[in-house]
Amino acid sequence: MPDHQTSTVSIRAASPEDLAGVEAFIAPFVEAGRILPRTTDELSDLLRTGFLAEFEGRLVGFAALEVYSRKLAEIRSLCVDPGMQGRGIGRRLAQACVDLARERNVFEVMVITSSEDFFRGCGFDFTLPGEKKALFLQTRDEH
């Protein structure tokens, strides 16, 4: 059941003018190891398919859809202000990314996350129809 504050949070498409604000917003999440670091150029590219959550004129959430092909896209850099978590903002940002993928007729959307339960609650699962699974092999250290 949404609380009063959830109803006043707006989700909108990001624009190039949002770059500095998004960089500042995601910095603590990067420092905490919650999301991967992004160069200014990478973040600028992500803004083209990114979404912001705003509450009382303040940035409280961000997520982007990186489209790799007509077959595959990935939700990237989803983060919500810790003081605003638990109010459905992350779910709305994830849904905005999925909706954009549908608009662009992308077949599958994936996410790489340490917040498995959150994304499972958004409808993501480990297997695709036909029991297909994504497997990964890391070829270098993160740094």
Side-chain angles (χ1 to χ4, degrees), residues 5 11 14 16 31 41 45 49 51 61 65 73 77 88 92 96 114 122 128 131 134:
Q5 290 182 327
I11 306 294
E31 290 166 20
D41 286 345
D45 287 344
T49 52
F51 297 91
L65 182 75
S77 300
R92 289 175 62 199
S114 58
C122 291
L128 294 167
E131 296 298 311

Side-chain angles (χ1 to χ4, degrees), residues 86-103:
R87 298 178 179 169
I89 297 167
R91 182 180 300 266
R92 289 175 62 199
L93 287 165
Q95 188 61 54
C97 290
V98 169
D99 290 346
L100 179 59
R102 282 193 176 108
E103 281 174 32

Side-chain angles (χ1 to χ4, degrees), residues 16-38:
E17 295 76 33
D18 295 313
L19 181 60
V22 170
E23 275 187 308
F25 177 74
I26 69 170
F29 295 92
V30 172
E31 290 166 20
R34 300 291 298 154
I35 64 172
L36 294 175
R38 304 275 174 239

Side-chain angles (χ1 to χ4, degrees), residues 47-69:
L47 285 182
R48 293 183 188 133
T49 52
F51 297 91
L52 278 65
E54 294 175 319
F55 176 68
E56 296 180 348
R58 180 172 65 92
L59 178 59
V60 297
F62 175 74
L65 182 75
E66 185 163 357
V67 179
Y68 299 119
S69 69

Side-chain angles (χ1 to χ4, degrees), residues 136-143:
F136 297 91
L137 175 73
Q138 188 169 320
T139 59
R140 61 179 174 82
D141 290 336
E142 286 184 38
H143 303 295

